[in-house]
Every structure is written in C-alpha cells, then in structure tokens.
Amino acid sequence: MPALDLPSDLVSTDWLAVHLGDPGLVVVDASVLGTETAVGFRWLSGLDEYLIEGHIPGAVFGDLLEELSDPDGPYSFTRPEPARLERAARDLGIDDGVAVVVYDSSIGQWAARLWWLLVSAGVERVALLDGGLARWRADGRDVETGFEAPREAGALTLSPREGFWADGPEVQRIVAGQADAALVCALPPSDFRGETGRRARRGHIPGSVNVPVGSVVDRETRTLLQGAELDARLAAATEGGAARVVVYCGAGIAAAGTGFALRRAGHPDVAIYDGSLDEWTADPAAPLVILV
C-alpha cells in the first residue's frame, strides 16, 4: 500500500476526516500539558488526557516528554540523537511507506515540535493538522478514548537535513555581529520584556525580536493565520532582511510553532535554537535584556 500523498505540510480537519483510516497514514497526538505544583511548574505527559478525554480516532500517542526527547540531555525536551528518534518514530508506526499527520490539544506548538524533529531528520511526508484537536472537536467530529496500538513499522530511512537547528555558539555569533541572522523569541510579550518567566534570570537575548507563538494562530479556531495577516504578525522577524532566522523560547517548543509559521510564509532558512533560554540563562555570562 503506497503512502498517502499529503496536499501540503498543513492539512485541514476536513482533509483528515476524508482520509482517516487510510493504511498509508499515521496520525500522532503529540500533546504535553503544564501545571503548577507545590514545588513549581512541571511538564506532564498528555497520555492521560489522550486516554481518558479522547483523541482523534486511530491516532497513536507520541511522547515528546520522554521517548521523543533525550532523557539524558541537560535540558527539558533536548533533541534526541538520530538512533533514538528513529526507534521512537518506528514505535509509533512511522516508516518509509506512510504519511504522518501530527496534532496536539493546545495551539499547535507541540505538534510543530514533532513536525520539526521528523522533517529535520529526513522523514519525507509529515504535516500538521491545522487547528489540532480543538478544531476537530469544534467541527463536531468524533473522538475515541483508550489506547490505540501503533501499526507494525517497516524500514525508516533517515537523512538529516541541514539548517533546521541552531546551537549556543551560533547564537553567540549572531549576538556578537559575527553571523547574519535574525533572532526571534516565541515567548509571550511579558516573558520577552522580563516581567515574567520561569527561570532565575529573565529577559531576552540581545538583538532579538518578539513573535509569540500565540500571535500566529487564530484565537478562536486555533488555526494558523494565512496570507497578509500572517505576514503582518511575522514582520518583526523578517523586516531586517536576514536570510536566516533563528527562533528560540524557553525549551524549543513555542519556537517550533513560530518557526513553522515562518516556513509556511515562505522563509526557507529557519532554525530552532534547541537549548533556548534553558541553556542561555544557565550561563551567567550570557547577556539578557530586560525591558521593565
């Protein structure tokens, strides 16, 4: 059975409803939840929500918190090594013979993170579900509860693609004016200004502009903005004319949502700073700007 042809890297709920159940399609719920506890903020797997509150019929659960990150990495959601990513993807039923649609229960940033991991690793056919689970439910479509066993995967050929990731030294060169690239912070404006934040050191990386991930989606439908409206939201990131755009946030998640929007808007050289502020703020010598 040949892989399903995706119309683009962003598909609608209407398209998915028509093709749901196709043996050449794997649908992945990549949801992660956050909660405040007595000891501070914690990320939680979205598995319980997937099992109990429901998911798109036939969707498998992709664990970004553990299986699709490096558990030995220095920061939350550290990008996994290729061998680990290949194993985790195959465990979800992903191989060379399928197309993949990813979604989450938030505004798409978690799905965008998984899209970024897979596409940057060389998986050929991956798309985001526009509006995610919220749009699916708003359309009145059915959900299922309980566990969905992944299909048995065959061979998965990975061939990492250049340019999708940035590291600390590259960001340092950009800040120092030794590399030509735009720096974009995908966190909320209050975090960007340094008024709020979960890290001991607050503020943003010098020279960066603010394009929050929440600003590139429609507040009601959670679908990605389009055309001139999206361009206007992204203007701060592109008005300098830099060929390369490096997006960061706290842990490389919101950055994936804004980064995906930039690529959808036609900017080909967009990278995520994987360590983001978790890494940057851990270095007491790394400069930060506070606008308060």
Side-chain angles (χ1 to χ4, degrees):
M1 179 66 66
L4 192 63
D5 287 330
L6 295 169
S8 75
D9 54 12
L10 186 72
V11 300
S12 69
T13 53
D14 287 342
W15 183 92
L16 182 59
V18 169
H19 294 93
L20 205 61
D22 189 299
L25 177 67
V26 170
V27 182
V28 183
D29 184 321
S31 300
V32 177
L33 309 176
T35 185
E36 292 288 349
T37 71
V39 294
F41 183 86
R42 284 186 58 202
W43 294 116
L44 298 175
S45 169
L47 179 58
D48 284 350
E49 179 185 64
Y50 164 92
L51 294 172
I52 299 168
E53 296 185 22
H55 54 267
I56 293 175
V60 297
F61 182 75
D63 186 358
L64 276 173
L65 193 61
E66 297 288 343
E67 299 302 323
L68 289 157
S69 295
D70 180 358
D72 298 321
Y75 309 107
S76 300
F77 306 106
T78 298
R79 179 165 57 111
E81 293 296 323
R84 181 180 180 85
L85 179 62
E86 179 184 355
R87 182 172 63 252
R90 293 187 71 253
D91 285 346
L92 294 174
I94 298 171
D95 58 27
D96 293 335
V98 299
V100 184
V101 171
V102 295
Y103 75 88
D104 63 40
S105 60
S106 184
I107 60 172
Q109 74 273 34
W110 300 105
R113 173 69 181 193
L114 181 52
W115 180 92
W116 210 276
L117 288 170
L118 295 174
V119 171
S120 68
V123 179
E124 292 291 334
R125 294 172 291 272
V126 189
L128 245 64
L129 178 63
D130 200 15
L133 184 60
R135 180 60 185 264
W136 182 268
R137 289 181 182 275
D139 289 342
R141 305 189 192 279
D142 292 338
V143 297
E144 291 181 346
T145 56
F147 180 72
E148 181 74 27
R151 63 185 289 276
E152 184 175 347
L156 176 60
T157 306
L158 297 184
S159 180
R161 298 171 178 171
E162 296 294 327
F164 275 77
W165 301 96
D167 58 15
E170 180 180 357
V171 175
Q172 290 168 359
R173 291 193 297 272
I174 296 168
V175 172
Q178 299 167 352
D180 183 21
L183 278 175
V184 177
C185 176
L187 290 172
S190 61
D191 279 19
F192 179 78
R193 292 191 297 266
E195 297 170 358
T196 56
R198 302 191 188 107
R199 293 153 200 87
R201 300 178 64 217
R202 295 180 177 180
H204 61 267
I205 298 173
S208 57
V209 297
N210 191 206
V211 182
V213 65
S215 72
V216 299
V217 297
D218 183 277
R219 290 178 180 270
E220 293 185 4
T221 66
R222 301 193 187 184
T223 54
L224 188 69
L225 298 178
Q226 304 290 330
E229 189 174 8
L230 179 59
D231 290 341
R233 300 295 175 88
L234 297 173
T238 60
E239 62 186 6
R244 183 164 171 79
V245 181
V246 174
V247 192
Y248 71 92
C249 55
I253 306 300
T258 295
F260 182 82
L262 281 158
R263 285 187 175 268
R264 283 287 300 173
H267 302 283
D269 191 1
V270 181
I272 292 175
Y273 173 22
D274 195 40
S276 281
L277 287 177
D278 280 352
E279 178 180 79
W280 188 267
T281 61
D283 178 1
L288 288 166
V289 176
I290 296 178
L291 301 177
V292 292

